[in-house]
Amino acid sequence: MSTLLTQARIAALQSFVERLVVRLKPWSWLWPPLAFAAGLGSFFLVDRQQWLGAALALGLLFAWLLLLSESLVGRWLARRGYPTLPKGVASFIAQMIHQETLFFTLPFILITTVWNSGQSLFTLCVVAMAVLSIIDPLYYKVAGRWRSLYFMFHALCVFLVVLVTLPIMLHLTTGQSLLLAIATMLVVAIPSFWHLLRQRSFSGWFPLLAMMLIVAGLAWFGRAWVPPASLWMTGTALSPALNIQQREPRGSIALTPQAVKQNGLYVYTAIRAPRGLSETISHVWHHNGEQLDVVDLDINGGREEGYRAWSHKLNFPEDPSGRWRVDIMTDSGQRLGLIRFTVSEDTDKATLADSDIRPAGLSRLNLQRFIAGRDRDVDQTDAEQ
């Protein structure tokens, strides 16, 4: 090892990195839009070319391994008297990786966010982090003066990397990815917690551990506010009937108490997921704010228009009048969307279940029309309650 890591070779390698950084700096403004385009491409193309999404995600993970190991390698070299990269060069590389992370994951977060829920706050936080990463004076001020805040920024970036890339690469469910993302974030956040506590004795590990557990608890119990980055709804419909063979809602009816008790009601959802991903989602029925039923549905990814799933409610209360809400949730408790309707004797106030499949979320923009070809997979899942 000592014959390979000579002073001259390490100095030459670091000189090459420094020259490369100098040449890249004038063009660094291109990096965020390129990362955003890569994330957008990975999101929409992963169903067609699994290798492309996995390759882009693998590249992002590799960049993070380099960043996380840079500090350890630098200390190891310094202890043995080897030269290390200047602080400015290391900070520039870290900024580039942060930009790559935030702008790569941003399309996943934006598209899967349920905007009329608390997830919008999480997404706005990610957008603010992305903006911070491209404003050099502010970014370097945070990195230089507020180290604890910078470490937390760093840890949240790691959280996003794991949350977005693992479902693509390993076909993990949203719940599994969320747990691994929280665990990885806590490990990376240890320097921040240690800096905040400013403890050097063994007893300092106890408040450190307590703080880590509090953060982990907040992250897990607040998971409904975290968008399921690998799943999103493409369409919803309410209908009195459903053609099982064609997998399409049928019929039209005003949702009066007599109509829903006599015919029941179908809630139809189309949910997009990466090819190869199997997930359990739930239709959670609420009446006037009270939860009545939970219907679990198994979905499989890969279909462009979304995996079509539905629940059929038959056992309505004696008086079903009032406000109804169906939450579409992942198995881990992350919200995919919600459907509201009103049951009323007054047909002018009652919701019309007309079987029209209404685009949900950003699918209203029909961004996938820019991608050639269509996926013709068939799918089916249903449950009655």
Side-chain angles (χ1 to χ4, degrees), residues 31 177 181:
W31 194 240
S177 299

Side-chain angles (χ1 to χ4, degrees), residues 120-200:
S120 58
L121 296 177
F122 178 90
T123 301
L124 290 176
C125 176
V126 176
V127 172
M129 291 171 61
V131 172
L132 170 64
S133 71
I134 61 176
I135 302 177
D136 290 353
L138 186 57
Y139 176 86
Y140 287 112
K141 185 176 182 179
V142 172
R145 296 185 182 181
W146 299 313
R147 296 299 293 173
S148 295
L149 182 60
Y150 178 75
F151 282 129
M152 290 302 297
F153 178 93
H154 188 73
L156 284 172
C157 286
V158 173
F159 176 82
L160 291 171
V161 169
V162 177
L163 188 71
V164 167
T165 58
L166 289 188
I168 297 175
M169 298 181 62
L170 304 178
H171 298 160
L172 298 183
T173 66
T174 53
Q176 293 169 336
S177 299
L178 181 63
L179 283 173
L180 285 174
I182 292 173
T184 308
M185 179 184 66
L186 290 176
V187 171
V188 175
I190 287 177
S192 179
F193 293 143
W194 190 258
H195 181 73
L196 285 171
L197 293 169
R198 296 185 182 277
Q199 296 286 343
R200 300 297 181 183

Side-chain angles (χ1 to χ4, degrees), residues 241-375:
L242 192 135
N243 186 313
I244 302 298
Q245 288 71 30
Q246 298 296 324
R247 298 149 182 112
E248 293 179 353
R250 294 290 175 87
S252 178
I253 193 172
L255 297 182
T256 62
Q258 182 180 0
V260 297
K261 292 175 70 175
Q262 180 177 346
N263 300 284
L265 182 66
Y266 283 92
V267 167
Y268 168 99
T269 55
I271 299 171
R272 178 200 175 277
R275 186 182 301 277
L277 179 66
S278 297
E279 184 94 16
T280 298
I281 62 111
S282 300
H283 286 185
V284 185
W285 293 72
H286 297 265
H287 179 220
N288 292 328
E290 179 184 355
Q291 179 177 315
L292 294 185
D293 297 307
V294 179
V295 181
D296 294 329
L297 306 167
D298 295 325
I299 66 171
N300 295 299
R303 192 173 188 275
E304 179 180 302
E305 293 84 359
Y307 193 93
R308 292 169 288 187
W310 55 84
S311 59
H312 184 200
K313 185 167 180 60
L314 295 169
N315 58 336
F316 281 87
E318 185 66 26
D319 182 13
S321 300
R323 296 175 292 104
W324 286 81
R325 186 183 83 245
V326 179
D327 292 328
I328 296 85
M329 309 292 289
T330 68
D331 195 34
S332 59
Q334 294 172 269
R335 187 186 301 277
L336 278 167
L338 57 88
I339 301 171
R340 300 180 188 274
F341 59 92
T342 301
V343 176
S344 174
E345 294 281 3
D346 187 347
T347 55
D348 291 333
K349 296 181 180 179
T351 299
L352 179 64
D354 55 8
S355 303
D356 285 346
I357 301 176
R358 293 171 173 80
L362 290 186
S363 61
R364 296 171 184 171
L365 300 178
N366 195 20
L367 295 177
Q368 297 195 22
R369 69 183 183 275
F370 298 109
I371 301 175
R374 296 183 66 82
D375 202 323

